[in-house]
Amino acid sequence: MHDVPLPGVTLRRAPGHDLLAAGVGPALASAATATALTTAALDGAPYDLVVSAGIGGGFQPGAPVGSLVVADEITAADLGADTADGFVPVTALGFGTVTHHPPRSLVRDLAAATGAALGTVLTVSTVTGTAARAAELRDRHPHALAEAMEGFGVAEAAALHGVPVLEIRAVSNPVGPRDRAAWRIGDALAALTEAFGKLAPVLESWNRHDRSH
């Protein structure tokens, strides 16, 4: 394993995969991912897949603390406009996109291998801190299981390069009122580490699939 410095970020290279600590928030995650993807393409060794991984909040009771969520939809929860009638996503305003769909077969296989739940992972720029906000998000996104701050940014960069994307989150805290005493970051990181130990065989099998499915 060795480090490869890129503009603004450092890539850690290992056999079969590269690791990038992209930072917090969708903008920085998108910029860092785009830098890595562009560098690889210019070097003549483009990536086959981008995986956005980390910890996040889980919507209860579907995603308890310590559990895993694999995104079948990666959705920007707060990209749009606030109106007198409520929130309007940017797509309803006639432009942009708010959702990316990872490859269905890969999502299913990964969930089966890791025991993760399947659902929407929301990308937010402000972490939810109240029960009212959590309820509002669930009303607008009834299939949401988790929220985090980077997935949509990573997915946007991957889409521009035509590279499929995955998002996997380990739940460190419930979505809702902020209670740092209830956070279990260590448990979430342990679950994520265990999941990555099961990832390689899934990816090797998926490489033989039709990636349009």
Side-chain angles (χ1 to χ4, degrees), residues 19 38 50 53 58 70 123 133 135 159 180-182 192:
L19 177 66
T38 299
V50 175
V70 173
T123 298
R133 169 70 169 166
R180 291 300 298 268
L192 192 63

Side-chain angles (χ1 to χ4, degrees), residues 79-194:
L79 182 60
D82 193 18
T83 75
D85 296 321
F87 178 81
V88 177
V90 71
T91 48
L93 302 176
F95 54 92
T97 185
V98 294
T99 295
H100 292 279
H101 294 90
R104 292 193 300 272
S105 62
L106 181 54
V107 165
R108 289 195 304 266
D109 292 349
L110 181 58
T114 61
L118 283 178
T120 301
V121 176
L122 302 179
T123 298
V124 296
S125 294
T126 302
V127 174
T128 298
T130 67
R133 169 70 169 166
E136 177 192 349
L137 288 176
R138 285 303 299 268
D139 285 344
R140 288 199 276 117
H141 306 282
H143 299 293
L145 284 181
E147 72 166 24
M149 301 183 75
E150 294 79 32
F152 185 78
V154 172
E156 287 275 83
L160 289 176
H161 282 262
V163 180
V165 66
L166 275 178
E167 183 171 14
I168 180 169
R169 292 284 166 177
V171 177
S172 58
N173 57 279
V175 175
R178 288 179 61 79
D179 178 8
R180 291 300 298 268
W183 288 24
R184 297 291 182 267
I185 293 177
D187 292 344
L189 291 175
L192 192 63
T193 299
E194 182 179 353

